[in-house]
Amino acid sequence: MMIPAAIELGVELRVLAEQGGMSAELAADRVGDYTDTATVLDFARGVDVITFDHEHVPQDVLHALVDAGVRVHPGPDALRFAQDKLLMRERLSELGLPVPDWARVETLGELDDFIAGHGGAAVVKTPRGGYDGKGVRVVRSGAEVAEWFATIAEDGRSGALLVEELVDFRRELAQLVARRPSGEVAAWPVVETLQVGGVCSEVIAPAPRSAGKLADVAADVALTIAEGLGVTGVLAVELFETTDDRILVNELAMRPHNSGHWSMDGSTTGQFEQHLRAVLDLPLGGTGSYGEWSVMVNVLGGPVEGSLTDRYAEAMAGHPTVKVHNYGKAPRPGRKIGHVTATGDDLDMVVYEARAAAAFFQD
């Protein structure tokens, strides 16, 4: 999805793809192991800036790039806080930012003590590798994640899990910002996200009933994180709005993020163009909205038979104002294989258009 923005800016993209047939194959000129230092260094010789579409590139590979004089955005010192949730919680707490009550736990006894002190339930997370609800469990006993302790004890990373209070939240929000190496920052409107089974299903931009203090607090939190962690590029900060009117940081993503896909059609500058501007240290684009509302609905799973393109004619004829984005991925239960975006000034109508159009692609 960065390809159209790169074409418009006259920027040549080269992609090191993990394997053949991936969504980025339109720009991929190399297939290789992104965890292998020699492979990544060889690829980097032909580019000016390295950036990522996920946070899983190992720290030793990132530091090898920096040591070789390659411009890496976001850099390893920032990216480590998106790679390790324990480091993230520690750093955000040091910055005085609002986070759920949390603890590092290394034994079942420590976990049970935390649960007992927090109303008999808590959220346990694996520090690394979790996304879309993976590596996250609501538990009432440490025994429910005993196998996680056994697994991480063998991975050489000290065998600790992250435990957090089970937040009583009213809704989930996300705040996207961008920062360039020279320090310029920009923020989009805070959005509301709706989750299904731990996976983002819908995004409403801006979040309803967010004007004023809530929007100001969300933007301030995200910009403080971008500055405090030294982020370059797009940063997504997932937030809880609690039932007692607090705003708490849930997760971070240092890259274009699903909660910002609405900006491709609904904002003056979409997140993929903004990410390119940021990592190239170009002036950032405006983040205003074209319409009063934008609603993005993910296509999760897709059709049981055939592809998204088989449904184009009927979906597009019925909803000509809706934008359709196809990721080129094979349908699979729960997988994000595309999204649709609708914009307009009547929220109820915009929600209807987006949901109805997405429904054509899901069985």
Side-chain angles (χ1 to χ4, degrees):
M1 287 184 280
M2 209 172 290
I3 295 172
I7 291 173
E8 291 176 354
L9 293 174
V11 174
E12 180 185 354
L13 283 185
R14 296 184 182 179
V15 175
L16 174 64
E18 187 176 355
Q19 57 189 7
M22 301 190 75
S23 298
E25 64 183 350
L26 288 173
D29 62 347
R30 188 81 63 86
V31 174
D33 183 1
Y34 65 84
T35 68
D36 179 71
T37 301
T39 297
V40 177
L41 283 172
D42 183 61
F43 170 75
R45 291 191 182 96
V47 302
D48 299 305
V49 178
I50 290 281
T51 191
F52 318 95
D53 68 353
H54 61 64
E55 294 92 349
H56 307 307
V57 181
Q59 281 284 310
D60 59 344
V61 174
L62 297 173
H63 281 288
L65 288 168
V66 172
D67 292 343
V70 179
R71 286 191 289 169
V72 180
H73 297 307
D77 290 340
L79 203 62
R80 65 195 182 104
F81 296 110
Q83 293 175 329
D84 190 312
K85 292 181 176 65
L86 280 167
L87 289 178
M88 181 262 289
R89 282 287 182 254
E90 290 171 359
R91 183 61 180 139
L92 295 189
S93 297
E94 290 171 356
L95 292 171
L97 292 165
V99 297
D101 192 21
W102 67 277
R104 172 192 179 97
V105 292
E106 299 185 8
T107 67
L108 290 175
E110 290 177 346
L111 178 52
D112 282 329
D113 288 344
F114 185 95
I115 292 170
H118 291 79
V123 177
V124 181
K125 299 179 180 180
T126 55
R128 291 173 172 262
Y131 66 96
D132 282 350
K134 299 177 179 66
V136 179
R137 287 185 190 172
V138 176
V139 302
R140 287 167 175 78
S141 167
E144 296 178 53
V145 289
E147 77 278 14
W148 284 4
F149 280 108
T151 298
I152 62 175
E154 299 170 357
D155 70 1
R157 297 193 179 112
S158 79
L161 294 174
L162 171 65
V163 59
E164 299 178 347
E165 65 172 301
L166 182 60
V167 175
D168 187 11
F169 62 88
R170 182 179 295 120
R171 58 178 174 169
E172 294 185 70
L173 305 170
Q175 175 68 63
L176 262 70
V177 299
R179 180 178 180 271
R180 52 190 285 216
S182 59
E184 182 190 6
V185 294
W188 285 272
V190 65
V191 302
E192 180 174 343
T193 64
L194 286 74
Q195 317 294 318
V196 175
V199 180
C200 181
S201 174
E202 299 181 12
V203 174
I204 302 174
R209 306 175 305 284
S210 64
K213 182 178 180 181
L214 191 155
D216 292 342
V217 169
D220 183 64
V221 165
L223 292 171
T224 299
I225 292 172
E227 295 281 359
L229 274 54
V231 177
T232 50
V234 168
L235 167 71
V237 181
E238 297 181 67
L239 303 162
F240 292 128
E241 180 186 5
T242 69
T243 54
D244 57 357
D245 295 320
R246 293 178 295 159
I247 297 295
L248 302 177
V249 178
N250 181 24
E251 302 281 1
L252 303 180
M254 294 183 190
R255 53 177 167 79
H257 187 255
N258 192 218
S259 63
H261 285 353
W262 70 272
S263 66
M264 298 166 68
D265 304 306
S267 177
T268 305
T269 309
Q271 65 169 344
F272 292 98
E273 177 186 342
Q274 196 80 298
H275 188 74
L276 285 174
R277 288 183 180 225
V279 301
L280 294 171
D281 206 14
L282 295 170
L284 301 179
T287 53
S289 300
Y290 287 129
E292 186 173 349
W293 301 100
S294 294
V295 175
M296 184 215 72
V297 177
N298 279 321
V299 178
L300 300 175
V304 174
E305 295 183 0
S307 65
L308 294 190
T309 55
D310 296 334
R311 313 285 180 93
Y312 276 178
E314 192 173 5
M316 291 176 176
H319 303 279
T321 63
V322 172
K323 295 292 187 178
V324 177
H325 295 266
N326 184 342
Y327 303 164
K329 296 179 178 180
R332 190 176 68 201
R335 189 183 200 186
K336 298 173 188 170
I337 65 169
H339 74 265
V340 304
T341 306
T343 60
D345 295 331
D346 183 323
L347 179 57
D348 289 340
M349 182 56 67
V350 175
V351 169
Y352 164 75
E353 288 287 339
R355 289 178 178 174
F360 277 99
F361 302 108
Q362 299 180 144
D363 293 331

